[in-house]
Amino acid sequence: MATATRVELRRLAEEAAALAGVVSGSLGPRGGQVLLTRPTGEVLLSRDGRRVLEALNVDSPTARMMIACISTHCNLIGDGAKTFIILLSAFLQGLEKLIERDGAPFCKNVQGREKHKEKCCGLNQISRFLMMLHTSILDRIVIQDLQKHFLTVFSAYDTDINRSAVESVLEAYFCGKVANDRQEFLSQLSCDFYYKATAGKNATEVLHLMDECFAELHTAVTGLPVSSSRILEGLVLQRDFAVYCPSEGEKRIIIITEPIHTALSDLGIEVVITTERHYQASELWITKRTEAIIKHMQHSNIKVLLSSVKQHEVVHYCAEGCGISIVECLSLEEISLICRITRISPFRPSQDNFHTAVTEAGVAKFCQPLRLGAKRYVHIGLTGTHAFQPHCMILCGPVRGVTEQHACAFHGAFKMLRQMFTVVNLTECHEPKSESQNLLNSQRGLAEEQFKEEPTDCDNIQALDKQLIPCGPETEKLLPLEYKHPDKVGVPESELSEKIQHVHTKVEESMRCRHALVQPQAHKDGYTGPSYGTSVKDEGSNKSCLQGNASCSIKAGAVVPVGGIFEILLHYYLSCYAKQCQSTCTSTLCFLIADVLLSIPKTLCKTQKKNTFARLYLEVTGALRSKQQLLLTDHKSLESVSCKYHLVASVVQCAARLLSIDLIVGIKKVPQKAVESDSEGDQ
């Protein structure tokens, strides 16, 4: 029998609050670790929100759906699990209070419906509003308002990356992933690995490879302290030598994915064996063929044979006599990574191509045994044509759980860096629709209502119909945010102000080169609000307020100071938009989401001094209103803007999916399929 359960908003809010309560205590640099125990005796001690949530035994389908959304987000971004569930919980709780206080404001036009149907219709209406809010409002605010506050990890030129900025980003990331006594060491280790693997260049392709092949680029060693972790040049293969023949200088390597000493049937040869003598002759022929293949490799100066299968003892004997080392039983992932680095294809001896010169061979600087803990590995230094500089990370820990936690944190760090160096294309701002079309849409009862902005007193400008206008001080006089680097601590005040001004000038020059600064433009119709564009000039044609695709995107390397600054900025501009919006439903949702965003800085400030959040909030919003430069002296670390944007968008989409659910149908028994009979008697 199948049972149907109606989804209530109260239930969703309680489930999200329970999940948020598990990980909220570990949020931020001063958060603690979560200890989970299972009936089997397994213990998990971690600060990684995703690992903790996925380790829970959850029965509710909607709670499992929340965890699945978090896992999907972390697979793409690599970070943000704790912030995700805290924002989702705050939104669902705020929405529940809003509906209880104001009834069902999103379905007042529904007549003749029962109360539960009316609530269900209202939640579905909110779900559609949330999806519209993501593309129509959030993207516009990021482009038109937030973009001028972004910093960059690039130096004066696009190809040069500021190492201190990357270190600040990684330091902030590891503060929420590992124990406090290991954060600095592991963040520095990850930064060193990134620079050695990419040679300090903005190589998105290399970061993509590091993300895909992370399992083959690190080796976990138990029984050693964490401080023994290090970076080695080349790759560490998870096997020992089957045959080791030491040699000096560079070595030519060859890859094989099939047995060299094989049966006649595997060679596609038809042989009739009737006597024992015939069988011995066939075995002798196969052995001589194997010897010829190994001799051919020796003549081609092959010194290392990498095989994905186990080779016969005859192959070992012949290779040892010819001075060829053999590493066998390598995983297909390791073989694939070596092929990508060296750009060679596996050698196929079954095709009888050993009579010609071996061209598919790579070069290794060294290939030697390596002992890590109680195990032996193969350490090989590959020389390839790929942009990736082969390096391997050795992660040490006293027990397996520690190494797994650190490996998961490193993998997420590379995902985060890949996302940070990727341009995020947002929804472009198109021409505002006409009044007649808006009236037609309203008559049709569409959820995607149009917005009208009214000019504010502080702006004193004439607003265009249906155009988003930022509230607050004149944006052309608003200075971008600044932060204080760790190396400025202890500097005299006079010298510090000069250095801050110098850094501010450099940041402005860098961002101007990358078209990241705001360039106010005057419109022919008298509108003097902000217009974000590239170097493309307006030829007089009636174009969008955002010219070119570069204006409708988050630049690669964009960062902001940590500590809830992004959330406070988005809260400020979203609240300003809600005050101007004439749609009651949209304005209500914008105010709700704006208040929900403050739950992150509030949670982060709980472990600090009293009134820390109030001082931070007043400092940021006061600077925005008074057109002053904001110096966040207490925020030394940075975080990726792209990751924060994707986090907010993922929370909005997850909430929309949850609110669109009407019923949960539980099937206790799998239905049996009817078996059709082909017999004539059953027809």
Side-chain angles (χ1 to χ4, degrees), residues 169 172 558-567 637-641 644:
V169 172
V559 291
V560 292
V562 299
I565 304 302
F566 180 87
E567 287 81 1
S637 301
L638 302 171
E639 57 186 351
S640 169
V641 172
K644 300 298 292 186

Side-chain angles (χ1 to χ4, degrees), residues 9 210 282:
L9 181 58
M210 292 166 61
S282 64

Side-chain angles (χ1 to χ4, degrees), residues 347-362:
F347 180 70
R348 303 291 299 274
S350 61
Q351 298 179 355
D352 290 336
N353 56 354
F354 56 89
H355 297 291
T356 59
V358 178
T359 57
E360 295 291 341

Side-chain angles (χ1 to χ4, degrees), residues 451-484:
F451 310 130
K452 294 183 179 180
E453 279 71 24
E454 299 177 355
T456 58
D457 296 336
C458 55
D459 287 320
N460 294 325
I461 56 177
Q462 184 68 28
L464 289 175
D465 292 339
K466 303 291 181 295
Q467 187 163 0
L468 184 63
I469 303 175
C471 180
E474 297 179 3
T475 55
E476 58 266 24
K477 297 182 180 179
L478 189 62
L479 298 177
L481 294 180
E482 184 58 278
Y483 76 101
K484 181 180 179 182

Side-chain angles (χ1 to χ4, degrees), residues 109-128:
N109 57 342
V110 179
Q111 303 293 336
R113 291 180 178 268
E114 299 178 5
K115 184 176 182 180
H116 70 275
K117 292 184 178 180
E118 183 178 354
K119 287 185 177 180
C120 180
C121 178
L123 294 181
N124 290 331
Q125 188 93 350
I126 296 174
S127 175
R128 292 191 291 270

Side-chain angles (χ1 to χ4, degrees), residues 538-567:
D538 191 355
E539 298 294 337
S541 59
N542 189 15
K543 297 182 180 180
S544 170
C545 62
L546 298 180
Q547 300 179 10
N549 294 331
S551 306
C552 299
S553 63
I554 299 177
K555 306 299 187 296
V559 291
V560 292
V562 299
I565 304 302
F566 180 87
E567 287 81 1

Side-chain angles (χ1 to χ4, degrees), residues 128-146:
R128 292 191 291 270
F129 267 102
L130 288 176
M131 297 304 296
M132 176 271 303
L133 182 143
H134 171 209
T135 56
S136 300
I137 302 177
L138 179 60
D139 288 0
R140 286 188 174 188
I141 290 179
V142 171
I143 295 171
Q144 297 183 3
D145 298 320
L146 293 185

Side-chain angles (χ1 to χ4, degrees), residues 227-240:
S227 57
S228 299
S229 302
R230 58 191 184 275
I231 301 172
L232 297 179
E233 182 183 3
L235 300 180
V236 176
L237 305 180
Q238 305 296 315
R239 293 289 177 181
D240 194 7

